[in-house]
């Protein structure tokens, strides 16, 4: 019954038509500032409480809400368009009539038979039934699911693959059993059951028989039966739902507005107490609160929100970080407060392009620049073979007792590297005859493998003359440097796993009839399996220091009897129901003893451009870096060293694999004794530690200079981000390029997505999209720093602008019998926060203390921001004192100097107030911009012009007299000059860091 299963639709939207308005309004009025002004605006609808014009309250509030609603609507509409594009992708469905019909991804249902072409993304979780590949297998790319660009081998169900055509699937009586939907992307338990004349034949289905949604078919055409759709697919279950992010600066401003609200209430109570609780005192109390409501300026939200848009525009216009897109304009200031950077590895720090660098034979080492020498030795060896001489004849009988020549050593090593892998050559020339010689088609060959390391090794053997030309499930063919072809029968393959850390293959050489077991793996496990030697440990260490990924290669000859005995035991173990994996591994391990060490290989994973200097800059800025990767421990360790994530000479503590509480306790105690060590831990071990010792583990981990978590699932990445936020209270930034990084990116305070080779899923889900990792340095050091500092200055000024007029109102009401009458009415109130001061104050967003080059050269400047001093309570109270001082000087000065009409008090005090505000902006600016000069000039001009227009507020005769202007000048100078002097003294005797650099 298809209706029992969820629809196969991708949905990343936050809202729908019904929830948009209530959710957006809830998020807006969740902020104290907006809620406060909503209540203030509502009180103005009651005539008894009205103290001004309605538009002075409703217009600014409506503007703020409208701007935010438009922004949220645009962001969500973009998500809707992207989702619709994915959901409307067309796929071919096989019907019972044998026809292929096109259906959109959103209409795919469980039990549908879907055809996925090469390079097409899989639309739902499927069991792999058939393929056009003759060997019954295909490769898939899983980079958008688990972050690994290694190609994974998938096997079609044998019964289905053996059918003559796809149509024959409807002629068999069979069904698929699949486990309940799970989050685990590396495991699956299922059964394929076929009925023949009432007899059931069952085949076990594992991860190798699946095609998960969001993976890409890399070879051939695949046909599968859909088992999970929509929210039950592995990719969706490992993706968190997008949430609305509120920046730390917004939270700090919100907290400070609560203090201002408390101050408003205290002032209202104080005024009421002085006036007396006679009559309708509660009405007077509300009117006092309304009268002092300018202490909390609504224009603060308007200015901050407009500032965010300007910062976003400046980021996208920066020519040094071309292609950068700001997808979330609500949190640019977060980039200036990052304490932890969590980064993916594959495709983020590395290009995932492997290059063979070194071959070590124990007595001699060959680099990539000595390939000619290796080619020469190989040619000599195979020439001898063609002449009937067996180069390796002595090795199996006399073993290491005979000192072999360099020629025979190279021959054995390169042959082992060319055979011990899971690589398949694919020829792209579809128009040519498939039976034509491979030599004629070698220009079009591509290698498919489950690991880029293996491709690099096989590509290297090709470059030195030993080429893999053909491979299927049972045979492998190599072309030798002399042009002849050597055929090998594949008897057994033991694939690489994170537990075994090695890969083996048993082949039979058709030319000699010899059966050889080749094994390659990490030095940590291979050390105990190879014969005694005195060079392996040292050379592994040397290569690791160079940042190379090392593999130890060994072999063992087997007789027919030995292999037959092994095969019997191996097949018996594979039929076991209890502890199957343990029994199979025990049989394989019986072979892995006393093996002949052949060589040590070193492969380099190319780093992204300027990764090392970027990570060093970020580290110097006081940001701790965690690398979260789905890759193997050895690979992650190599990249951590080569990228300088772990600095040279720094100790590394590799957390041992723990499975239970006691082991975790012992390992944590061991880790606690390591001071200032970088930590490398497996995802499974991390889960155990967090289950039993979450607080203890996080307490130790957050003190590490660097942390690497390998074999990390997408869900784990997001959990780690949340844990850091919970246990430190610091701001986090996550950067990645794959679909598996989306949850981590969305969980972080600031999510950065890279436009990767394999799609834009991370980029589209992120708050900020970059084209290169190195751009992250400028994004944080320059734009993050400037955004935070500018918004902090802007916040101080807008609060100062509201506080100073409120102080004047308090003084006015106190002196005039505690009347609840506004000092400045209507146009003056609105004009003060808009036309007269808005533009100069807002243009503080363009101010910066140092040049971008200086900010990049001295990342230590960023470290100062992490202390949060720019918007601290100390700075808040400093500006509060400044406002009280200036408000008092202006109001008392106007009262002392005015003569004649009360109208003159308003003219003198208001003019002094406006000019003081404009001078304070000039006092604060550190780098003048031409727009700032124009804004100051226009503001003064508009104010002077309006003085002659609004004659009900200004006396046209009085304002043109010298008497008016000298009084304004005296009051303004007394309110501003002391602050200029204090600023000069501070700059002279205790200059901030940026001032020292400017000098």
């Amino acid at each position: 019954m298809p209706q029992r299963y969820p629809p196969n639709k991708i949905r990343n939207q936050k809202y729908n038509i019904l929830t948009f308005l209530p959710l957006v309004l809830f998020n807006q009025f969740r902020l104290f500032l907006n809620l406060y002004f909503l209540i203030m605006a509502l009180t103005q609808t009651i005539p008894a409480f009205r103290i001004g014009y309605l538009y002075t309250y409703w217009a600014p509030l409506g503007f703020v809400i409208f701007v935010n609603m438009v922004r949220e609507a645009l962001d969500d509409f973009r998500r809707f368009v992207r989702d619709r594009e994915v959901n409307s992708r067309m796929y071919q469905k096989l019907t019972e009539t044998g026809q292929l019909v096109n259906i959109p991804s959103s209409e795919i249902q469980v039990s549908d038979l879907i055809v996925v072409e090469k390079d097409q993304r899989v639309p739902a979780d499927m069991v792999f039934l058939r393929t056009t590949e003759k060997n019954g297998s295909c490769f898939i790319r899983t980079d958008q699911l688990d972050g690994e660009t290694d190609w994974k081998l998938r096997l079609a169900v044998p019964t289905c693959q053996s059918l003559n055509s796809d149509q024959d699937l409807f002629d068999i009586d069979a069904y698929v059993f699949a486990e309940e939907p799970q989050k685990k992307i590396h495991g699956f338990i299922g059964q394929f059951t076929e009925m023949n004349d009432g007899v059931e034949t069952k085949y076990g289905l594992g991860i190798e028989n699946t095609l998960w949604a969001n993976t890409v078919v890399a070879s051939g055409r695949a046909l599968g039966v859909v088992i999970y759709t929509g929210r039950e697919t592995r990719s969706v279950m490992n993706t968190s739902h997008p949430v609305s992010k509120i920046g730390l600066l917004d939270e700090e401003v919100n907290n400070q507005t609560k203090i201002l609200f408390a101050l408003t209430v205290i002032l209202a109570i104080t005024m009421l107490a002085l006036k007396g609780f006679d009559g309708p005192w509660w009405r007077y109390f509300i009117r006092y609160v309304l009268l002092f409501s300018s202490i909390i300026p609504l224009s603060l939200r308007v200015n901050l929100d407009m500032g965010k848009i300007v910062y976003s525009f400046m980021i996208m216009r920066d020519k040094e970080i071309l292609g950068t897109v700001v997808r979330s304009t609500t949190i640019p200031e977060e980039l200036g407060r990052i304490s932890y950077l969590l980064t993916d590895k594959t495709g983020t720090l590395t290009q995932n392009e492997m290059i063979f660098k070194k071959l070590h034979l124990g007595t001699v080492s060959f680099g990539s620049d000595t390939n000619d020498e290796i080619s020469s030795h190989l040619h000599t060896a195979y020439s001898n073979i063609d002449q009937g001489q067996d180069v390796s004849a002595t090795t199996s009988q006399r073993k290491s007792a005979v000192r072999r020549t360099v020629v025979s050593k190279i021959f054995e090593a390169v042959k082992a590297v060319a055979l011990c892998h899971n690589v398949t050559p694919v020829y792209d020339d579809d128009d040519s005859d498939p039976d034509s010689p491979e030599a004629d088609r070698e220009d079009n060959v591509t290698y498919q493998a489950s690991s880029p390391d293996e491709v690099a090794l096989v590509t290297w053997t090709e470059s030195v003359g030993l080429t893999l030309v053909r491979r299927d499930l049972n045979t492998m063919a190599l072309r030798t440097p002399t042009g002849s072809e050597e055929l090998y029968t594949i008897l057994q393959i033991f694939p690489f796993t994170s537990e075994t850390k090695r890969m083996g293959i048993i082949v039979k050489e058709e030319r000699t009839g010899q059966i050889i077991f080749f094994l390659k793996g990490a030095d940590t496990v291979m050390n105990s399996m190879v014969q005694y030697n005195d060079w392996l440990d040292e050379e592994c260490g040397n290569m690791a220091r160079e940042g190379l990924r090392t593999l130890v290669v060994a072999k063992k000859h087997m007789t027919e009897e030995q292999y037959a005995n092994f095969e019997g035991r191996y097949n018996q173990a594979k039929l076991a129901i209890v502890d199957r994996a343990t029994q199979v591994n025990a049989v394989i391990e019986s072979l892995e003893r006393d093996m002949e060490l052949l060589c040590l290989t070193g492969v380099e994973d190319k780093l992204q451009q300027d990764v090392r200097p970027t990570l060093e800059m970020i580290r110097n800025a006081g940001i701790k870096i965690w690398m979260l990767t789905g890759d193997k421990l050895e690979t992650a360790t190599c990249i951590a060293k080569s990228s300088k994530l772990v600095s040279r000479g720094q100790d590394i503590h590799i957390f041992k694999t723990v499975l239970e509480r006691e082991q975790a306790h012992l390992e944590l105690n061991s880790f606690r004794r390591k001071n200032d060590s970088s930590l490398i831990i497996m995802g499974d071990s991390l889960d155990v530690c967090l289950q039993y010792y979450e607080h203890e583990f996080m307490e130790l981990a957050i003190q590490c200079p660097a942390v690497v978590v390998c074999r990390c699932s997408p869900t784990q990445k997001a959990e780690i981000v949340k844990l850091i936020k919970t246990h430190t209270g610091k701001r986090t930034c996550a950067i990645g390029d794959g679909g598996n990084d989306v949850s981590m990116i969305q969980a972080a305070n600031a999510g950065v997505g890279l436009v990767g080779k394999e799609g834009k899923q991370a980029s589209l889900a992120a708050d900020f999209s970059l084209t290169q990792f190195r751009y992250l340095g400028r994004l944080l050091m320059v734009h993050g720093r400037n955004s935070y500092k500018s918004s902090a200055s802007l916040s101080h000024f807008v609060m100062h602008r509201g506080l100073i007029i409120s102080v004047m109102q308090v003084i006015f009401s106190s002196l005039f019998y505690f009347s609840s009458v506004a000092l400045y009415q209507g146009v003056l109130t609105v004009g003060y926060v808009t036309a007269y001061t808005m533009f100069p104050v807002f243009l503080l967003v363009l101010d910066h203390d140092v040049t971008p080059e200086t900010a990049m050269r001295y990342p230590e400047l960023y470290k100062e921001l992490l202390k949060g001093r720019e918007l601290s309570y100390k700075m808040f109270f400093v500006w509060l004192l400044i406002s009280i001082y200036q408000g008092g000087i202006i109001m008392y000065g106007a009262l002392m100097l005015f003569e004649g009409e009360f109208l003159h008090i308003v003219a003198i005090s208001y003019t002094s107030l406006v000019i003081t505000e404009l001078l304070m902006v000039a006092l604060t600016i550190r780098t003048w911009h031409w727009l700032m000069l124009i804004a100051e000039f226009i503001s003064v001009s508009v104010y002077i012009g309006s003085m002659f227009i609004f004659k009900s507020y200004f006396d046209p005769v009085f304002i043109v007299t010298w008497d008016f202007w000298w009084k304004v000048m005296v009051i303004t100078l007394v309110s501003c000059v002391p602050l200029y002097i204090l600023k000069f003294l501070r700059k002279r005797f205790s200059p901030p860091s940026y001032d020292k650099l400017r000098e």
Side-chain angles (χ1 to χ4, degrees):
M1 296 175 64
Q3 62 267 26
R4 288 191 300 128
Y5 305 105
N8 195 47
K9 290 183 178 179
I10 301 297
R11 191 177 188 280
N12 289 308
Q13 293 166 254
K14 294 182 186 176
Y15 316 104
N16 59 37
I17 293 173
L18 294 176
T19 62
F20 176 74
L21 195 62
L23 284 178
V24 170
L25 290 176
F26 171 76
N27 285 326
Q28 287 304 307
F29 292 118
R30 191 172 59 172
L31 293 169
F32 176 77
L33 192 65
N34 291 352
L35 181 63
Y36 172 75
F37 268 93
L38 176 65
I39 295 169
M40 292 298 103
L42 288 171
T43 60
Q44 293 304 287
T45 59
I46 303 171
F49 299 141
R50 188 176 297 169
I51 60 170
Y53 299 105
L54 278 175
Y55 69 83
T56 61
Y57 287 88
W58 282 105
L61 179 64
F63 178 74
V64 170
I65 301 303
F66 176 74
V67 167
N68 280 286
M69 286 180 73
V70 169
R71 185 172 58 197
E72 285 290 332
L74 284 174
D75 286 347
D76 216 46
F77 180 72
R78 290 193 194 104
R79 294 189 195 98
F80 166 74
V81 171
R82 293 198 299 268
D83 290 345
R84 186 175 60 184
E85 182 185 338
V86 173
N87 291 327
S88 59
R89 284 181 186 159
M90 302 303 291
Y91 290 87
Q92 291 183 318
K93 173 184 172 181
L94 182 67
T95 64
E96 291 188 26
T97 60
Q99 294 180 324
L100 291 173
V101 296
N102 290 324
I103 63 169
S105 172
S106 57
E107 292 183 14
I108 291 174
Q109 298 179 337
V110 171
S111 79
D112 283 352
L113 294 175
I114 302 296
V115 173
V116 185
E117 302 289 346
K118 181 182 177 183
D119 293 327
Q120 195 174 20
R121 204 164 286 282
V122 179
D125 287 356
M126 305 196 297
V127 167
F128 182 24
L129 300 181
R130 286 175 57 80
T131 177
T132 53
E133 298 289 286
K134 292 179 182 178
N135 57 15
S137 66
C138 78
F139 284 95
I140 60 169
R141 298 197 297 270
T142 62
D143 57 289
Q144 295 296 307
L145 186 66
D146 60 12
E148 297 183 43
T149 53
D150 311 350
W151 290 9
K152 309 291 191 302
L153 185 69
R154 291 294 183 260
L155 305 175
V157 176
T159 302
C160 300
Q161 182 64 24
S162 62
L163 298 173
N164 294 325
S165 68
D166 295 344
Q167 172 64 20
D168 292 343
L169 285 169
F170 293 101
D171 296 331
I172 63 173
D173 184 8
Y175 63 91
V176 172
F177 163 78
E179 64 182 345
E180 288 186 353
Q182 308 276 345
K183 275 190 175 183
K184 56 181 181 180
I185 54 180
H186 296 298
F188 173 71
I189 297 173
Q191 272 187 349
F192 181 90
T193 305
E194 184 183 9
M195 303 289 291
N196 283 317
D197 299 325
V199 179
E200 285 189 351
T201 306
K202 294 186 176 182
Y203 302 92
L205 299 178
I207 187 67
E208 69 278 1
N209 304 114
T210 61
L211 301 172
W212 291 150
N214 231 18
T215 59
V216 176
V217 174
S219 66
R221 189 183 78 160
L223 172 65
V225 59
V226 177
I227 53 173
Y228 306 122
T229 54
R231 65 174 182 272
E232 292 184 346
T233 60
R234 295 299 204 264
S235 62
V236 173
M237 292 183 80
N238 279 279
T239 302
S240 57
H241 198 68
V243 293
S244 298
K245 296 181 181 180
I246 297 178
L248 180 60
L249 181 131
D250 292 312
E251 291 177 3
E252 290 173 338
V253 168
N254 203 39
N255 290 334
Q256 291 183 7
T257 53
K258 291 175 184 176
I259 297 175
L260 292 175
F261 173 70
L263 187 63
T264 304
V265 173
I266 290 168
L267 278 173
I269 292 172
T270 304
M271 296 294 284
L272 190 62
L274 293 171
K275 178 182 174 65
F277 289 91
D278 301 327
W281 60 269
W282 55 272
R283 185 185 299 174
Y284 289 120
F285 172 74
I286 293 174
R287 285 180 65 87
Y288 278 133
V289 170
L290 289 166
L291 206 58
F292 303 143
S293 64
S294 56
I295 287 179
I296 309 175
L298 181 62
S299 57
L300 179 58
R301 279 251 58 89
V302 180
N303 279 276
L304 287 178
D305 287 344
M306 296 297 286
K308 293 173 193 290
I309 294 170
V310 172
Y311 304 141
S312 302
F313 178 75
M314 290 164 71
I315 290 171
M316 291 191 282
R317 285 289 302 273
D318 190 343
K319 293 179 180 177
E320 297 295 321
I321 51 175
L322 286 173
T324 299
V325 179
V326 179
R327 301 195 188 280
S328 177
T329 56
T330 56
I331 54 169
E333 301 96 345
E334 288 291 88
L335 297 171
R337 300 292 295 277
I338 303 301
S339 296
Y340 288 88
L341 173 68
L342 299 102
T343 174
D344 179 38
K345 178 191 73 69
T346 307
T348 304
L349 297 181
T350 71
Q351 298 179 28
N352 211 46
E353 291 180 11
M354 306 299 172
I355 300 173
F356 185 89
K357 283 289 185 181
K358 193 171 284 189
L359 177 75
H360 206 290
L361 302 175
T363 55
V364 62
S365 176
F366 296 94
S368 53
D369 54 344
T370 56
N371 280 355
D372 293 343
E373 194 177 338
I374 296 175
S375 299
S376 173
H377 290 317
L378 266 184
H379 195 279
T380 302
Y382 276 101
S383 295
N384 291 339
I385 289 172
D386 291 344
Q387 293 167 15
Q389 302 175 30
D390 194 345
V391 179
S392 59
T394 59
T395 58
S396 59
Q397 287 85 22
R398 288 176 273 173
K399 295 190 177 178
S400 58
V402 175
R403 185 178 180 82
R404 292 179 292 159
T405 64
V406 172
V407 173
S408 66
K409 282 187 176 182
I410 287 177
F411 166 74
E412 294 288 355
V414 176
K415 185 172 79 169
V417 172
L419 290 170
C420 188
H421 54 71
N422 211 348
V423 180
T424 304
V426 176
Y427 298 93
D428 296 332
D429 50 340
D430 297 330
D431 298 330
S432 65
D433 180 5
D435 297 323
S436 62
E438 284 79 4
D440 299 336
R441 303 186 285 155
E442 63 181 346
D443 290 339
N444 297 319
V445 69
T446 55
Y447 292 118
Q448 293 179 345
S450 60
S451 167
D453 300 62
E454 296 204 318
V455 173
L457 292 171
V458 173
T459 304
W460 172 75
T461 63
E462 179 188 4
S463 71
V464 295
L466 194 58
T467 308
L468 175 67
V469 292
R470 191 172 62 255
R471 179 179 185 150
D472 56 34
L473 290 177
N474 302 311
T475 60
M476 199 182 325
L478 302 179
R479 189 173 57 250
T480 69
T482 60
S484 59
E485 192 174 284
E486 294 238 316
L487 193 64
Y488 296 85
T489 301
I490 302 171
L491 300 177
Q492 298 288 348
I493 294 180
F494 314 117
F496 181 95
T497 67
S498 56
E499 290 77 27
T500 62
K501 299 184 177 62
R502 57 192 180 274
M503 178 263 171
I505 186 170
I506 302 177
V507 296
K508 183 175 183 179
E509 190 174 24
E510 293 301 319
R511 177 173 54 84
T512 62
Q514 288 184 336
I515 297 175
I516 313 168
F517 173 40
F518 291 107
L519 187 68
K520 69 178 180 186
D523 59 292
T524 50
V525 295
M526 294 291 288
N527 250 332
S528 60
M529 298 176 185
V530 297
Q531 296 166 356
Y532 173 76
N533 63 85
D534 57 0
W535 60 271
L536 186 58
D537 283 342
E538 183 182 350
E539 291 306 325
C540 282
N542 291 339
M543 286 193 190
R545 279 186 285 276
E546 294 175 37
L548 301 181
R549 298 162 69 148
T550 57
L551 280 174
V552 178
V553 184
K555 74 167 186 176
K556 175 189 271 188
H557 285 265
M558 301 176 70
T559 64
E560 293 279 359
E561 293 77 19
Q562 286 174 329
Y563 176 71
N565 176 263
F566 165 79
E567 187 179 31
R569 291 186 292 120
Y570 185 63
N571 290 336
Q572 189 78 23
K574 286 202 294 184
L575 292 174
I577 296 173
V578 181
D579 289 336
R580 180 188 297 177
T582 306
Q583 293 187 43
V584 168
N585 287 336
V587 174
I588 297 172
E589 285 170 11
S590 68
L591 274 186
E592 300 168 333
R593 295 172 187 162
D594 197 32
M595 301 197 67
E596 182 183 343
L597 176 60
L598 297 178
C599 64
L600 176 67
T601 63
V603 175
E604 179 185 51
D605 189 353
K606 284 183 69 176
L607 296 173
Q608 295 276 10
Q609 186 179 352
D610 292 336
V611 159
R612 291 188 185 99
T614 303
L615 288 178
E616 185 179 1
M617 179 199 302
I618 291 170
R619 195 185 297 111
N620 290 339
I623 300 172
K624 292 187 175 181
I625 306 168
W626 288 41
M627 184 171 83
L628 313 180
T629 175
D631 223 328
K632 304 184 286 287
L633 186 141
E634 293 76 21
T635 308
T637 307
C638 284
I639 296 302
K641 291 175 180 175
S642 63
S643 66
K644 299 294 187 287
L645 175 70
V646 176
S647 53
R648 188 183 293 274
Q650 192 173 74
D651 289 335
I652 297 177
H653 179 80
I654 297 179
F655 206 91
K656 292 178 184 174
T657 302
V658 295
L659 301 173
E660 52 190 31
R661 183 171 186 162
E662 290 75 15
Q663 292 175 327
H665 180 72
L666 291 172
E667 193 58 26
L668 277 172
N669 286 338
S670 172
F671 177 41
R672 190 176 280 109
R673 290 192 286 271
K674 300 286 181 71
N675 294 320
D676 199 37
S677 293
S678 294
L679 173 66
I680 299 178
I681 186 170
M682 297 281 283
D684 294 341
S685 301
L686 177 68
D687 273 345
V688 176
C689 290
L690 295 179
Q691 183 181 350
Y692 299 111
Y693 301 106
E694 179 183 309
H695 181 75
E696 292 85 347
F697 176 80
M698 290 304 298
E699 187 180 1
L700 293 170
I702 58 179
Q703 294 172 4
C704 295
V707 176
V708 176
V709 184
C710 42
R711 286 293 170 193
C712 194
S713 70
T715 311
Q716 272 184 318
K717 290 184 178 184
E719 286 301 320
I720 291 167
V721 174
K722 292 171 186 173
L723 283 167
I724 292 175
K725 287 161 65 176
T726 303
H727 286 270
T728 66
K730 305 287 186 183
R731 307 320 266 183
T732 58
C733 174
I735 181 169
D737 74 315
N740 64 307
D741 301 316
V742 169
S743 295
M744 170 178 77
I745 286 169
Q746 291 178 339
N749 299 107
V752 180
L754 290 181
V755 179
K757 293 178 183 177
E758 303 295 337
K760 298 182 178 180
Q761 193 170 350
S763 162
L764 293 172
D767 304 306
F768 306 91
S769 169
L770 301 179
T771 55
Q772 296 187 44
F773 179 82
R774 64 193 178 102
Y775 291 167
L776 182 64
R778 188 175 178 89
L779 186 68
L780 297 177
M781 302 303 124
V782 177
H783 294 288
R785 186 172 180 277
N786 287 345
S787 299
Y788 172 60
K789 288 182 76 74
S790 297
S791 282
S793 295
L794 188 61
S795 301
H796 292 147
F797 255 92
V798 176
M799 287 182 187
H800 167 263
R801 190 170 63 186
L803 281 165
I804 192 172
I805 199 170
S806 297
V807 169
M808 293 170 67
Q809 178 68 57
V810 169
I811 295 169
F812 173 77
S813 295
S814 302
L815 296 177
F816 288 88
Y817 309 105
F818 305 103
S819 65
S820 55
V821 177
L823 171 60
Y824 303 124
Q825 296 281 346
V827 173
L828 296 186
T829 304
V830 176
Y832 173 61
V833 296
T834 54
Y836 305 148
T837 63
M838 182 175 74
F839 294 112
V841 170
F842 177 70
L843 286 176
L844 284 168
V845 299
L846 301 178
D847 188 26
H848 57 265
D849 51 4
V850 293
T851 63
E853 292 72 26
T854 304
M856 295 282 283
R857 194 177 303 119
Y858 299 102
E860 291 78 11
L861 288 170
Y862 186 93
K863 192 184 291 186
E864 295 181 357
L865 302 187
L866 302 181
K867 299 170 184 174
R869 291 175 179 169
E870 298 291 325
L871 208 57
S872 64
Y873 287 114
K874 177 185 174 183
M875 287 298 295
F876 171 74
F877 286 112
V878 165
W879 278 95
L880 179 62
L881 291 174
I882 290 172
S883 303
I884 293 171
Y885 167 74
Q886 290 185 324
I889 290 294
I890 292 170
M891 198 64 225
Y892 279 114
L895 290 168
M896 289 169 62
L897 297 176
F898 97 100
E899 296 171 7
E901 299 182 30
F902 172 75
L903 198 63
H904 295 175
I905 293 182
V906 174
I908 293 170
S909 64
Y910 193 79
T911 305
S912 301
L913 175 65
V914 171
I915 296 175
T916 295
E917 193 65 29
L918 296 177
L919 283 174
M920 285 296 290
V921 172
L923 169 68
T924 303
I925 288 172
R926 291 157 293 204
T927 305
W928 280 89
H929 190 280
W930 61 271
L931 278 175
M932 296 173 178
L933 292 169
I934 292 173
E936 291 270 348
F937 175 75
I938 290 176
S939 297
V940 172
S941 302
V942 168
Y943 177 64
I944 292 173
S946 64
M947 290 169 75
F948 294 96
I949 296 172
F950 301 120
K951 295 180 181 179
S952 57
Y953 299 107
F954 301 100
D955 182 352
V957 177
F958 178 63
I959 61 176
V960 295
T961 63
W962 170 246
D963 192 42
F964 168 74
W965 286 106
W966 79 259
K967 289 175 180 177
V968 169
M969 287 173 62
V970 167
I971 292 171
T972 305
L973 288 172
V974 173
S975 70
C976 292
V977 169
L979 299 177
Y980 269 92
I981 294 170
L982 287 172
K983 181 181 179 181
F984 172 77
L985 292 174
R986 181 173 180 267
K987 192 173 179 179
R988 181 77 177 81
F989 297 107
S990 180
S993 303
Y994 61 82
D995 262 344
K996 295 175 186 176
L997 294 173
R998 290 173 73 174
E999 293 168 4

